[in-house]
Amino acid sequence: MGSSSSDMSHIPDAQELMQETGFSAAHLARLHERFEFLDKDDRGELSPEDFSTVSELAMNPIGDRIIAAFFSPGQQAVDFPSFVRILAHFRPTDANRSRNGRNGAQQEPANSRTNRLKFVFQLYDQDRDGKISREDLLEVLRAMLEMQVEEEQLQSIAERAIQEADLDQDDAISFDEFRKSLEKVNIEHKMSIRFLE
Amino acid sequence: MPSRTGSHSPAGFGRSAPERGLLLLTVLVLLEGSVLPLGAASSPDISHHANSDKHQVADVGHNATKKPFPVLAVEYDRVQIPFEISLWVLLASLMKLGFHLIPRLSSIVPESCLLIVVGLLVGGLIKLAGEEVPPVLDSRLFFLCLLPPIILDAGYFLPIRPFMENLGTILMFAVVGTLWNAFFIGGVLYGVAQIQPANPSDLHQLDLLPCLLFGSIISAVDPVAVLAVFEEIHINELLHILVFGESLLNDAVTVVLYHLFEEYAGVGTVTVLDGLLGVISFLVVALGGVLVGAIYGILAAFTSRFTSHTRVIEPLFVFVYSYMAYLSAEIFHLSGIMALIACGAVMRPYVEANISHKSHTTIKYFLKMWSSVSETLIFIFLGVATVDGPHAWNWTFVTVTVILCLVARVIGVVGLTYVINKFRIVKLTTKDQFIIAYGGLRGAIAFSLGFLLNQDHFPMRKMFLTAIITVIFFTVFVQGMTIKPLVELLAVKKKQEAKRSINEEIHTQFLDHLLTGIEDICGHYGHHHWKDKLNRFNKKYVKKCLIAGERSKEPQLIAFYHKMEMKQAIELVESGGGVKLPSAVPSTVSMQNIQPKKPPPVKAAERALPQLPKGREEEIRKILRSNLQRTRQRLRSYNRHTLVADPYEDGFGDLLLKKQKMIELEKKIKEMNNYLTVPAAPPDSPTMCRARLASDPQAYSVKPTSDRVPTIQVDLASPQSPDSVNLLDEFRRAEQPRGEAGPDQGLMMKPASAQSGPNKSREDDESRDQQQKLMRCLSDPGPSADEDEDEPFLP
């Protein structure tokens, strides 16, 4: 842990990153280590193949979605700042951070509830039309249930889910409806990885 | 005010309820007080003598003078013990009833306080009558009969997810907190006892070890008291599970400390080696208890796999295996409470997948019943034992103990929270800490442990008992009564009364996968990683062994979904749903042949059903489902004002959901499509079997069959019900232009009245009969709806 501070020089724009994402120097260094570990051919960028080397991701039903979330649409490589920005969504919320702390562009931090939910929403909404349509939901269900159920059952579950959440009757779940259906779930707690504290 | 006393009391009773309730109470107490001494009065000698006398008389009667045949004889002693036990249980239950008839009382004073007062009264009466108070809180009786039901109830319905998430915190409080309490209280008491060398007092006899023993007895938070008080204040899940979990897990610590100090109190010294052995002993006791419980739990789960042919005794397995786990742990001086919790928690997901719906209901009701009676009895006995128990009041000792308990608890909680918060994601706030500290109630376990002490080894036993009782009274009365207003005052978050929706379920699982993936990317072996591994292990190996048939392959989500749908369907049918079947269905089908109050036809139905061809089966199911939905509508209108809230009730939105579904179904059937909104599970799927078998045959009434092909008829409620109008209005209102505000009208419906118009308001007479049935069925709210049942194990 002590030597990690010396690695800050390797990380471009370390200070801005720390400011933007709220990670401490130690965490940033750790993430950089991990980044370099994944970056097998040392290009300074990660490609989808690099992610696939993580074996457990292959077993994860939504592994491919998670990997895809790191890449902006159209791009095939993700650099360190983008990597960190995505992971910032999973940083535990600081209870003590004062709201009025910083002046200037008071952007909502990446690990606010809304931003976390937006991230998850994008994982559902693969066609990026701003809504979770029935097809999107069915895709997710198929992935999670791993072909163990009949198509009919999936249809009915998706049907019921949409009916429950869909308030404006457009047969799809918008971001607001998504957020409402999760109001009882403690997202800050669920989507926090202690490692990233 | 009177209406709150529940659906039991008819309207006229309500007015004089408080007076009548009080009268009833007094009468009961007097009754109990008078009968029990009578029982105690018949001493064994006299009865024995009377017995032998009778025998002789009988013999003599044959040979010598003929005495008149005793038409009526009194022989109490034969039934004395069961009679007295039943009397106590009856007293406890009647008390419980009585308290709820007096509305104001139960909202101010927690039940536990009232019960202790009743116990005091009964004990006082017995003493007044000059009889010896029976040693009711005998330790064997307490630990072997009264405590297990409560713990089993708690363990079986333990919400696993929050428990596991907070396990670290709970363990810290339970182990470190209890140790701190015990040593602090014991040590300071010893110090206090040693001061005042000038005036020698009784206290000087007190050695360090007995003090520490006393400290360890008094420091344990009591699960019974915590349950009794916390159940009424409905605080949020986190705090509840923290305090409650702590009260359960500190049993291991208490057991070890108790035995350690008891062993060595006679000798007088405890060496470092003994301390070390104590630590090892603690690990053995705790882990051993959990292991024993887990083994029995797995056995129970395995047994339940084969019970499909003997459904009636399924609940018995659950109870007996759990009790055996408790007793086995007690044999080896392991922690019986932890064994019981582990047994219940381990066996539950597998047993519930295997047993029938009715068995599940039986288990739930029996556990709640037993634990409720047990709890009531414990508090009453506490009162009686107070009156009876040998007392040696020592002002210094008692007051210092009470103060120390509070102080130690507060310091312990604050100190531990400071450390714990460094490791928690969701930190504990000051409010939380206050509630945790304030919720550290002591109860009957402390008293029983004190009672177990040997008078010879511990000459200060009487003083200990008095102090223990005072602390118990203080915590139960003062803390128990004031915690509710304090919770309100501090605006502590309350429990969210929410049913898990399918959306939450899907999203929660999705998030689990997401978090596991992110953890893998970060290379971090965290919480989610291990949970995922455990889930995989569970799915791959364990479920196959312990769950019967196809259910072992059923994914979590599907099981949840089926459960939800099944609950609704069964509830609809059991509450008198008007199942209308067309004549197209062949007569071998169960529904038509089932007459009310005739069990045998159900058997015939069981055998008849598998013979149906699959297509027919689907048709029946389709009709059943559609008709259930129709009944659901009717149900709606009765429920809101005339009946007690149905525990299965979903929000109003659900009604509109069903309405929507029905409309779509109509459309689909019109197009002769064969899709159901809920697909037909394969005919011998245990899920559907359970639904069929579990449905109450009495719910079906013989209906005149319509001569048409199955159609759905939108049947709105009979005009008699005041709410039927609302329903109509709402449907009409739904057709109006969108954009209406209000949460209820969020779900706008497609205009349906065009189709429903001509079919409205049939079956008025039927619905009147239905109304009575419904009222009877739904007036039983049962034990508080356990939302935790919906939560999957290891989601």
Side-chain angles (χ1 to χ4, degrees):
Chain A
M1 280 290 270
S3 62
S4 54
S5 47
S6 60
D7 290 341
M8 295 309 284
S9 50
H10 298 249
I11 306 171
D13 309 319
Q15 286 303 320
E16 281 115 40
L17 267 181
M18 279 166 59
Q19 186 99 25
E20 191 188 330
T21 59
F23 281 125
S24 68
H27 282 134
L28 214 58
R30 249 166 119 177
L31 286 174
H32 191 72
E33 263 180 63
R34 183 68 186 170
F35 184 83
E36 289 187 333
F37 173 77
L38 289 173
D39 185 12
K40 296 286 192 262
D41 37 6
D42 241 355
R43 288 179 297 136
E45 291 178 327
L46 292 179
S47 64
E49 290 76 36
D50 289 327
F51 280 106
S52 321
T53 58
V54 182
S55 50
E56 292 91 350
L57 271 183
M59 285 199 297
N60 197 317
I62 55 169
D64 43 353
R65 285 177 190 249
I66 301 175
I67 297 176
F70 278 88
F71 300 92
S72 316
Q75 286 198 326
Q76 283 300 305
V78 57
D79 58 358
F80 184 65
S82 316
F83 182 71
V84 172
R85 280 191 204 105
I86 301 276
L87 289 180
H89 286 109
F90 297 93
R91 198 169 62 83
T93 324
D94 328 294
N96 308 329
R97 173 180 286 214
S98 60
R99 308 280 167 123
N100 310 322
R102 297 179 295 180
N103 341 338
Q106 183 65 300
Q107 234 190 351
E108 224 178 311
N111 61 351
S112 72
R113 189 187 168 89
T114 313
N115 282 333
R116 292 196 216 244
L117 284 175
K118 275 206 186 123
F119 182 72
V120 179
F121 190 76
Q122 273 170 3
L123 282 175
Y124 272 98
D125 182 22
Q126 290 289 66
D127 49 8
R128 312 245 170 187
D129 59 355
K131 288 182 178 301
I132 304 177
S133 68
R134 192 167 309 206
E135 259 315 303
D136 288 331
L137 200 55
L138 274 172
E139 279 296 325
V140 171
L141 286 173
R142 263 184 222 121
M144 286 208 297
L145 294 171
E146 290 168 7
M147 307 300 175
Q148 289 174 14
V149 293
E150 301 163 9
E151 190 60 30
E152 264 188 20
Q153 285 191 315
L154 286 179
Q155 296 270 0
S156 54
I157 294 178
E159 179 72 39
R160 193 189 167 102
I162 290 193
Q163 277 177 350
E164 260 182 18
D166 192 13
L167 302 171
D168 55 5
Q169 293 298 92
D170 57 354
D171 219 27
I173 303 179
S174 69
F175 179 63
D176 282 319
E177 290 161 357
F178 180 71
R179 187 167 37 184
K180 192 159 196 305
S181 71
L182 280 176
E183 59 189 359
K184 295 196 195 90
V185 178
N186 187 349
I187 295 289
E188 286 87 355
H189 177 56
K190 251 200 109 50
M191 278 182 70
S192 298
I193 298 186
R194 207 166 289 149
F195 164 74
L196 297 174
E197 212 163 294
Chain B
M1 175 186 58
S3 57
R4 274 216 305 127
T5 58
S7 51
H8 311 287
S9 45
F13 189 96
R15 284 251 228 118
S16 54
E19 290 83 12
R20 286 209 194 181
L22 277 168
L23 194 62
L24 181 68
L25 272 174
T26 353
V27 166
L28 282 170
V29 169
L30 285 170
L31 187 69
E32 297 300 325
S34 55
V35 173
L36 285 166
L38 262 181
S42 58
S43 65
D45 298 333
I46 302 175
S47 55
H48 186 68
H49 190 62
N51 254 342
S52 49
D53 258 353
K54 256 208 242 160
H55 267 295
Q56 287 173 7
V57 164
D59 293 332
V60 163
H62 283 298
N63 305 335
T65 55
K66 194 165 173 234
K67 285 208 174 141
F69 187 73
V71 174
L72 197 63
V74 176
E75 195 186 342
Y76 179 67
D77 43 275
R78 200 162 70 99
V79 296
Q80 177 180 357
I81 294 182
F83 191 81
E84 287 188 353
I85 295 176
S86 311
L87 218 52
W88 279 114
V89 175
L90 196 60
L91 170 72
S93 319
L94 288 170
M95 284 301 114
K96 230 178 148 70
L97 226 113
F99 293 143
H100 288 283
L101 288 176
I102 308 175
R104 272 166 300 160
L105 204 56
S106 47
S107 54
I108 305 173
V109 188
E111 223 173 75
S112 36
C113 304
L114 293 171
L115 290 169
I116 293 186
V117 170
V118 168
L120 286 172
L121 281 173
V122 174
L125 276 171
I126 296 182
K127 244 206 167 126
L128 273 179
E131 294 305 331
E132 196 189 295
V133 177
V136 279
L137 213 50
D138 171 41
S139 294
R140 273 186 64 203
L141 173 72
F142 177 77
F143 280 113
L144 295 181
C145 299
L146 292 178
L147 192 60
I150 302 179
I151 305 295
L152 179 59
D153 179 41
Y156 195 77
F157 293 113
L158 192 71
I160 298 278
R161 183 170 246 241
F163 187 75
M164 285 299 168
E165 280 178 7
N166 295 300
L167 192 60
T169 315
I170 294 177
L171 278 175
M172 274 289 268
F173 278 125
V175 178
V176 180
T178 313
L179 280 173
W180 156 258
N181 275 353
F183 282 104
F184 183 73
I185 295 177
V188 175
L189 268 177
Y190 181 63
V192 166
Q194 293 309 320
I195 61 175
Q196 300 179 329
N199 331 352
S201 72
D202 293 331
L203 289 181
H204 284 243
Q205 291 179 30
L206 220 46
D207 279 332
L208 180 61
L209 279 174
C211 276
L212 286 175
L213 177 61
F214 177 74
S216 64
I217 294 177
I218 199 83
S219 64
V221 178
D222 187 82
V224 180
V226 165
L227 262 179
V229 169
F230 270 49
E231 218 166 56
E232 300 181 2
I233 62 179
H234 298 300
I235 52 170
N236 63 56
E237 197 181 50
L238 173 68
L239 285 178
H240 187 257
I241 198 72
L242 282 180
V243 182
F244 184 59
E246 179 198 343
S247 69
L248 289 175
L249 294 186
N250 66 19
D251 181 59
V253 182
T254 314
V255 164
V256 170
L257 282 179
Y258 183 81
H259 284 127
L260 185 70
F261 291 132
E262 203 201 0
E263 276 286 317
Y264 294 117
V267 180
T269 52
V270 177
T271 63
V272 176
L273 181 65
D274 295 325
L276 205 59
L277 283 175
V279 171
I280 298 179
S281 167
F282 164 71
L283 288 171
V284 167
V285 162
L287 295 174
V290 171
L291 191 68
V292 167
I295 292 176
Y296 274 98
I298 292 180
L299 277 176
F302 191 66
T303 312
S304 71
R305 189 179 160 183
F306 304 106
T307 55
S308 47
H309 301 288
T310 45
R311 294 278 182 203
V312 195
I313 55 173
E314 270 173 344
L316 194 65
F317 285 117
V318 172
F319 301 139
V320 173
Y321 272 113
S322 314
Y323 196 46
M324 290 280 290
Y326 180 77
L327 294 174
S328 309
E330 287 289 324
I331 294 177
F332 300 103
H333 275 173
L334 303 174
S335 169
I337 290 184
M338 290 181 85
L340 212 45
I341 302 284
C343 184
V346 165
M347 90 167 112
R348 186 176 167 207
Y350 308 109
V351 161
E352 289 207 339
N354 285 332
I355 61 177
S356 73
H357 184 78
K358 275 190 167 167
S359 298
H360 172 74
T361 312
T362 310
I363 291 177
K364 185 167 96 169
Y365 268 79
F366 258 89
L367 282 178
K368 297 283 178 206
M369 180 187 79
W370 271 332
S371 67
S372 173
V373 169
S374 250
E375 193 182 294
T376 318
L377 275 176
I378 287 179
F379 282 114
I380 292 185
F381 285 170
L382 258 180
V384 174
T386 310
V387 171
D388 167 44
H391 289 304
W393 182 270
N394 184 315
W395 275 102
T396 331
F397 191 74
V398 173
T399 42
V400 171
T401 309
V402 173
I403 296 175
L404 275 182
C405 279
L406 284 173
V407 168
R409 176 90 183 148
V410 170
I411 298 179
V413 168
V414 170
L416 280 175
T417 315
Y418 178 75
V419 176
I420 289 172
N421 268 346
K422 295 201 182 2
F423 298 99
R424 280 182 67 92
I425 299 179
V426 178
K427 317 271 185 217
L428 293 173
T429 65
T430 321
K431 260 194 253 176
D432 294 337
Q433 291 174 41
F434 177 75
I435 296 291
I436 295 176
Y438 208 67
L441 305 168
R442 275 48 167 195
I445 291 187
F447 182 79
S448 307
L449 284 176
F451 207 77
L452 265 178
L453 290 174
N454 194 323
Q455 179 71 30
D456 304 319
H457 288 174
F458 299 97
M460 313 302 297
R461 178 175 172 259
K462 288 190 190 161
M463 198 171 67
F464 285 174
L465 280 177
T466 314
I468 293 176
I469 287 191
T470 315
V471 173
I472 295 179
F473 271 47
F474 182 81
T475 55
V476 171
F477 278 90
V478 174
Q479 287 179 243
M481 279 209 274
T482 54
I483 200 168
K484 194 162 187 178
L486 274 172
V487 162
E488 305 275 337
L489 195 70
L490 292 175
V492 179
K493 261 193 295 181
K494 292 277 190 103
K495 180 155 82 159
Q496 291 170 324
E497 302 286 350
K499 278 180 71 78
R500 245 174 122 88
S501 69
I502 188 95
N503 267 297
E504 269 179 40
E505 184 60 30
I506 297 177
H507 298 321
T508 315
Q509 273 203 14
F510 188 83
L511 283 172
D512 276 334
H513 290 303
L514 172 63
L515 266 290
T516 312
I518 297 286
E519 278 187 2
D520 291 329
I521 290 179
C522 292
H524 173 55
Y525 284 159
H527 186 56
H528 290 94
H529 180 88
W530 295 117
K531 205 155 69 154
D532 193 55
K533 274 221 154 72
L534 187 62
N535 268 340
R536 281 187 199 281
F537 175 72
N538 189 22
K539 204 170 14 171
K540 213 165 161 195
Y541 301 109
V542 183
K543 274 192 180 173
K544 289 225 175 76
C545 296
L546 298 179
I547 301 185
E550 318 180 346
R551 305 269 342 251
S552 59
K553 295 194 216 90
E554 206 173 41
Q556 203 69 62
L557 198 58
I558 301 292
F560 179 79
Y561 180 69
H562 271 153
K563 216 170 167 184
M564 268 173 83
E565 291 281 316
M566 213 51 59
K567 243 191 202 171
Q568 283 179 2
I570 290 174
E571 163 230 355
L572 282 173
V573 170
E574 279 184 340
S575 53
V579 178
K580 228 183 175 332
L581 289 174
S583 57
V585 177
S587 56
T588 51
V589 172
S590 54
M591 332 293 191
Q592 284 189 344
N593 287 341
I594 293 178
Q595 312 276 336
K597 296 182 185 81
K598 252 205 210 168
V602 184
K603 282 264 175 82
E606 265 181 64
R607 275 179 256 125
L609 283 167
Q611 296 165 14
L612 285 176
K614 182 165 182 178
R616 203 46 104 193
E617 191 112 46
E618 299 226 19
E619 218 175 315
I620 295 164
R621 242 177 250 115
K622 192 196 315 173
I623 296 155
L624 181 64
R625 180 145 296 278
S626 57
N627 283 311
L628 291 178
Q629 287 170 349
R630 173 165 42 109
T631 318
R632 173 72 165 174
Q633 254 186 315
R634 228 180 330 177
L635 209 79
R636 244 318 141 173
S637 59
Y638 294 150
N639 275 341
R640 237 173 293 148
H641 299 299
T642 56
L643 298 176
V644 176
D646 184 356
Y648 285 129
E649 203 87 306
D650 291 315
F652 178 65
D654 215 51
L655 158 71
L656 300 177
L657 211 96
K658 290 282 189 213
K659 171 90 180 122
Q660 245 187 325
K661 262 197 201 169
M662 238 167 39
I663 294 159
E664 286 171 41
L665 207 59
E666 271 186 60
K667 273 194 268 174
K668 284 177 182 165
I669 287 186
K670 289 230 150 96
E671 298 163 30
M672 291 309 290
N673 253 345
N674 233 359
Y675 282 118
L676 282 171
T677 46
V678 170
D684 30 293
S685 154
T687 319
M688 287 313 287
C689 273
R690 274 169 30 175
R692 267 182 249 124
L693 300 177
S695 305
D696 193 330
Q698 297 185 10
Y700 295 113
S701 41
V702 183
K703 294 273 193 255
T705 59
S706 77
D707 36 73
R708 287 189 284 161
V709 162
T711 49
I712 317 284
Q713 284 159 357
V714 179
D715 173 50
L716 299 174
S718 81
Q720 292 171 322
S721 166
D723 300 318
S724 61
V725 184
N726 292 346
L727 216 54
L728 275 170
D729 278 347
E730 260 138 0
F731 289 159
R732 267 186 238 121
R733 254 183 278 151
E735 293 170 48
Q736 283 160 16
R738 304 180 176 190
E740 289 207 27
D744 272 0
Q745 274 137 18
L747 272 181
M748 301 299 261
M749 296 181 310
K750 307 183 180 112
S753 53
Q755 288 165 334
S756 63
N759 299 338
K760 267 193 299 193
S761 66
R762 300 185 54 201
E763 305 155 304
D764 284 345
D765 303 308
E766 242 172 47
S767 43
R768 249 173 260 138
D769 297 311
Q770 297 298 331
Q771 200 165 9
Q772 269 100 9
K773 261 200 211 157
L774 280 168
M775 291 199 69
R776 218 182 343 107
C777 281
L778 295 173
S779 61
D780 165 34
S784 54
D786 223 343
E787 324 83 339
D788 300 328
E789 289 175 32
D790 285 345
E791 252 188 43
F793 175 64
L794 299 181

